[in-house]
Amino acid sequence: MGGDHGAEVVVPAARAFLAKVADIDLTLVGQREVIEALLSSDPQPEQDARLHIHHASQSVGMDELPSKALRGKKDSSMRVAIDLVKAGEADACVSAGNTGALMATARFVLKTLPNVDRPAIISAMPSVRGSTHMLDLGANVDCTAEHLFQFAVMGSELVKAVTGIEQPQVGLLNIGQEEIKGNDQVRRAHDLIAASSLNYAGYVEGDDIFMGEVDVVVADGFVGNVALKSSEGVAKLVGHMLRRHFRKSLWSRIAALVTLPTLKAFKEEADPRRYNGATLLGLRGIVVKSHGGADAKAFENAIHIAEHEINARVIARIEHEVAAHLTPAPVRASA
Amino acid sequence: MGGDHGAEVVVPAARAFLAKVADIDLTLVGQREVIEALLSSDPQPEQDARLHIHHASQSVGMDELPSKALRGKKDSSMRVAIDLVKAGEADACVSAGNTGALMATARFVLKTLPNVDRPAIISAMPSVRGSTHMLDLGANVDCTAEHLFQFAVMGSELVKAVTGIEQPQVGLLNIGQEEIKGNDQVRRAHDLIAASSLNYAGYVEGDDIFMGEVDVVVADGFVGNVALKSSEGVAKLVGHMLRRHFRKSLWSRIAALVTLPTLKAFKEEADPRRYNGATLLGLRGIVVKSHGGADAKAFENAIHIAEHEINARVIARIEHEVAAHLTPAPVRASA
């Protein structure tokens, strides 16, 4: 029920997903009558055989305070969906709802993995070489060096699991000036990651995210969120400029027609919907957050991310990896 | 002598500037023989009549530690140029050199304005509505709320002086989640700016920089630098994608030819050289930093920024404005 469009986007996205993926069933959590009305307005029996409904009477508003949603809405679609993951009745939860409420609820219900202090938000971003994963995208505004190190371990393992890259290169986001390079936390995180067995490429700067120099970029949630949103802003600005120039004159409109296939291919590659879906990493269950304004195509992408993470068994892998990196070595009894 | 290309870029940029601006003379500071060789290889008597040379025997390397440059290179082109500003022999200094060294030297020689704790780096960035100024772009990694407030006051006054906007809208960069909105410093800076007479628009997010919602965006130097570099990265990525798509097939190459005037106009508008030149704000003198990799056109833009700031008398205006906002109210003697 969450996001700017609720079930109207989720229902067609779920059906499009089911048309492509044979071995997964989907459960739509929310107001039964709303969902049923949408389904019956355009019956698709083949997909709907694997589409289930789980009623939830409430929904969390996009501007609702996370703490209020957590305390006051025990029967929200968000809460019930996460409860299903906790109970083992679902392998993952995908939501376009309020990020803060989703994180607070997921953390409260599912709990973090052992040795993980804080969950982080991670997503793929487009780059010259394909894509780069970045975390944290906004869950944690103040991070210690230890938090950043945990993000590096989790991010590296997620990328390894879902992309097949054997030794993902990890970069730590910093700024370029030598003597004032980074703050204390970043410098200490640098030492922690460098001393670990991760494939650490050292410091990277904002532009490196999009140059594909590394596979994983680690930052605190404030900085990561600003990088993400700034990049969205520039992409919007470029789109705005291109459209304006192509509409300027009769000649440019004709040129736009001639260029249509190329512009379409470009637009498809640059389509932010292809990157929709951010994972709440570090929890004892898979939770994927879709952009609130996502349309059906974008939301479907978020479901595919959950699918890949289920198939790659990311939770078990991350739990194992975190334990390997973060458990203190056992003290040996002397011989 | 600084930047990736040194005098080879600065000399033609200076001449192009002088060809357009009648009432300003330029002094090239650096190795006389290098500059003279460049000038004599292609004499332009009209411009060169207002182009002076001031010899400096040393130059600061792009990777040199600022503290070392400051202590060890008293006759660097950077240091001598700033000394000329200090002595009143120049109205502004423009450099493509090492940012950290330039800031350290400028701060040491010129000193900060009264009531300014730390200088910040500010630059215009393109937006849907024209441009938005952002500061700090990397001079200060850890900022208190008071520093951010000073940035807001200085940034607002600079924009007022150089753009003519009477009440520039000021936004404070933050992330979107309600309950964890910002860290302590940002929240306290919010209160300080809101309580001032600045035209404060409240919190903005990364994408708002490029939507032109506000005229000035305030952030600490770590966050501001990441936003700047990320946006440069996305712009490079989009350019890369566009080029690749237009080169893909014979048809797309023909389309590119037909579209050439439109693509050229777009490229011109999006040209980062039009935004080259960041001001070191809060000093007792005008210092403009050009991108190290700037070509002559980009470097010329940085000189024009210095020109605008000289003509707008920004130093006196900012000193006055900072005093108005930051001096404690005088205690009145009781009647």
Side-chain angles (χ1 to χ4, degrees):
Chain A
M1 308 305 290
D4 301 341
H5 313 295
E8 273 176 52
V9 151
V10 176
V11 167
R15 281 169 154 177
F17 175 86
L18 290 171
K20 286 175 201 155
V21 177
D23 59 350
I24 287 185
D25 281 25
L26 294 178
T27 299
L28 299 172
V29 182
Q31 285 168 304
R32 183 179 294 277
E33 60 278 27
V34 174
I35 299 169
E36 277 176 349
L38 280 163
L39 289 173
S40 60
S41 72
D42 168 28
Q44 297 183 11
E46 205 177 324
Q47 278 83 276
D48 295 356
R50 291 187 289 127
L51 197 53
H52 317 286
I53 301 175
H54 192 110
H55 181 68
S57 62
Q58 298 172 304
S59 58
V60 176
M62 290 306 269
D63 292 325
E64 213 162 315
L65 284 182
S67 56
K68 276 202 165 173
L70 186 57
R71 276 197 309 269
K73 296 216 170 147
K74 304 261 160 81
D75 199 38
S76 71
S77 52
M78 183 184 282
R79 173 64 180 267
V80 173
I82 294 173
D83 283 342
L84 289 176
V85 174
K86 171 75 179 172
E89 291 175 46
D91 292 308
C93 159
V94 181
S95 167
N98 180 324
T99 310
L102 186 69
M103 179 56 101
T105 306
R107 210 174 154 172
F108 176 78
V109 173
L110 297 175
K111 313 294 181 210
T112 52
L113 287 168
N115 300 304
V116 172
D117 292 323
R118 296 185 182 185
I121 301 175
I122 185 167
S123 177
M125 303 179 73
S127 89
V128 166
R129 298 195 194 167
S131 69
T132 300
H133 278 72
M134 183 156 84
L135 78 167
D136 171 30
L137 297 178
N140 309 282
V141 287
D142 284 305
C143 293
T144 65
E146 287 72 22
H147 296 144
L148 294 171
F149 176 53
Q150 291 170 20
F151 297 169
V153 172
M154 295 193 294
S156 169
E157 189 58 25
L158 179 84
V159 168
K160 211 186 283 187
V162 297
T163 69
I165 296 171
E166 285 195 17
Q167 293 292 334
Q169 281 220 307
V170 177
L172 184 60
L173 196 59
N174 202 342
I175 68 173
Q177 293 179 44
E178 275 311 321
E179 244 163 329
I180 52 164
K181 212 161 201 163
N183 48 30
D184 271 358
Q185 301 93 282
V186 170
R187 274 193 300 256
R188 289 209 309 113
H190 172 82
D191 295 339
L192 288 174
I193 307 174
S196 76
S197 61
L198 294 174
N199 183 10
Y200 182 48
Y203 292 132
V204 295
E205 294 191 56
D207 47 345
D208 296 318
I209 304 166
F210 306 96
M211 295 301 108
E213 299 293 325
V214 295
D215 303 300
V216 184
V217 173
V218 174
D220 78 47
F222 196 112
V223 171
N225 187 276
V226 167
L228 172 71
K229 291 285 175 69
S230 299
S231 69
E232 288 175 3
V234 174
K236 275 189 238 171
L237 172 62
V238 170
H240 172 89
M241 283 181 177
L242 269 175
R243 273 191 302 278
R244 191 156 41 70
H245 284 288
F246 274 111
R247 281 176 193 158
K248 215 180 242 170
S249 64
L250 183 62
W251 174 253
S252 69
R253 282 165 191 266
I254 293 168
L257 285 179
V258 176
T259 322
L260 210 58
T262 303
L263 286 179
K264 246 180 111 174
F266 162 72
K267 221 178 139 185
E268 221 155 88
E269 188 184 359
D271 190 348
R273 293 180 296 181
R274 291 182 54 215
Y275 294 91
N276 182 51
T279 299
L280 274 47
L281 201 62
L283 298 166
R284 298 174 194 238
I286 297 170
V287 181
V288 175
K289 165 74 174 82
S290 158
H291 203 288
D295 64 8
K297 191 185 165 183
F299 195 88
E300 186 197 334
N301 196 70
I303 312 178
H304 283 292
I305 289 176
E307 174 204 356
H308 298 325
E309 295 186 359
I310 293 168
N311 290 336
R313 300 179 52 254
V314 290
I315 304 295
R317 289 187 61 156
I318 288 172
E319 179 168 7
H320 177 266
E321 194 67 11
V322 166
H325 280 276
L326 296 170
T327 314
V331 180
R332 292 207 189 155
S334 49
Chain B
M1 309 305 291
D4 301 341
H5 313 295
E8 273 176 53
V9 152
V10 176
V11 167
R15 281 168 155 177
F17 175 87
L18 290 170
K20 287 176 201 154
V21 177
D23 59 349
I24 286 184
D25 281 24
L26 294 179
T27 299
L28 299 171
V29 182
Q31 287 169 303
R32 183 178 294 275
E33 60 278 26
V34 173
I35 299 169
E36 277 176 347
L38 279 163
L39 289 173
S40 60
S41 72
D42 167 30
Q44 298 183 11
E46 204 177 323
Q47 278 84 277
D48 295 356
R50 290 187 289 127
L51 196 53
H52 316 286
I53 301 174
H54 192 112
H55 182 69
S57 61
Q58 298 171 305
S59 58
V60 175
M62 291 304 271
D63 292 323
E64 213 161 316
L65 284 181
S67 56
K68 276 202 163 173
L70 186 57
R71 275 198 310 270
K73 296 214 169 149
K74 304 261 160 81
D75 199 37
S76 72
S77 53
M78 182 184 281
R79 172 64 180 268
V80 173
I82 294 173
D83 283 341
L84 289 176
V85 175
K86 171 76 180 172
E89 291 175 47
D91 291 308
C93 159
V94 182
S95 167
N98 180 323
T99 310
L102 186 68
M103 180 55 101
T105 306
R107 209 174 155 174
F108 176 78
V109 173
L110 298 174
K111 313 294 180 210
T112 52
L113 287 167
N115 299 305
V116 172
D117 292 321
R118 295 185 182 184
I121 302 175
I122 186 167
S123 177
M125 303 178 73
S127 88
V128 167
R129 298 196 193 166
S131 69
T132 301
H133 278 71
M134 183 157 82
L135 78 166
D136 171 32
L137 296 178
N140 309 283
V141 287
D142 284 305
C143 292
T144 65
E146 287 72 23
H147 296 144
L148 294 171
F149 177 52
Q150 291 171 18
F151 297 168
V153 171
M154 295 194 293
S156 169
E157 188 60 25
L158 179 84
V159 168
K160 211 186 283 187
V162 297
T163 69
I165 296 171
E166 285 196 18
Q167 293 292 335
Q169 282 219 306
V170 177
L172 184 60
L173 195 59
N174 203 341
I175 68 173
Q177 295 179 41
E178 273 312 321
E179 244 163 328
I180 53 165
K181 212 159 201 164
N183 47 32
D184 271 358
Q185 301 92 284
V186 170
R187 274 193 299 255
R188 289 209 308 113
H190 172 83
D191 295 340
L192 288 173
I193 307 174
S196 76
S197 61
L198 294 174
N199 183 10
Y200 182 48
Y203 292 132
V204 295
E205 295 190 55
D207 47 344
D208 296 318
I209 303 166
F210 306 95
M211 296 301 107
E213 298 294 324
V214 295
D215 303 301
V216 185
V217 173
V218 175
D220 78 46
F222 196 111
V223 171
N225 186 276
V226 167
L228 172 72
K229 291 286 175 71
S230 299
S231 69
E232 289 176 1
V234 175
K236 275 189 237 171
L237 172 62
V238 171
H240 172 91
M241 283 181 178
L242 269 175
R243 271 191 303 278
R244 192 156 41 71
H245 283 287
F246 274 111
R247 280 175 194 160
K248 215 180 241 171
S249 65
L250 182 63
W251 174 254
S252 69
R253 282 165 192 266
I254 293 168
L257 285 178
V258 177
T259 321
L260 211 59
T262 302
L263 287 179
K264 246 179 111 174
F266 162 72
K267 221 178 139 184
E268 221 156 87
E269 188 183 0
D271 190 348
R273 294 179 297 182
R274 292 181 53 215
Y275 295 91
N276 183 51
T279 299
L280 275 47
L281 201 62
L283 299 165
R284 298 174 194 239
I286 297 171
V287 181
V288 175
K289 165 73 175 82
S290 157
H291 202 288
D295 64 8
K297 191 182 166 184
F299 195 88
E300 186 197 335
N301 196 72
I303 312 177
H304 283 292
I305 288 176
E307 174 204 357
H308 299 323
E309 295 184 1
I310 293 167
N311 291 336
R313 302 179 52 255
V314 289
I315 303 295
R317 289 187 62 156
I318 288 171
E319 180 168 6
H320 177 266
E321 194 67 11
V322 166
H325 280 276
L326 296 170
T327 314
V331 180
R332 292 203 191 159
S334 49

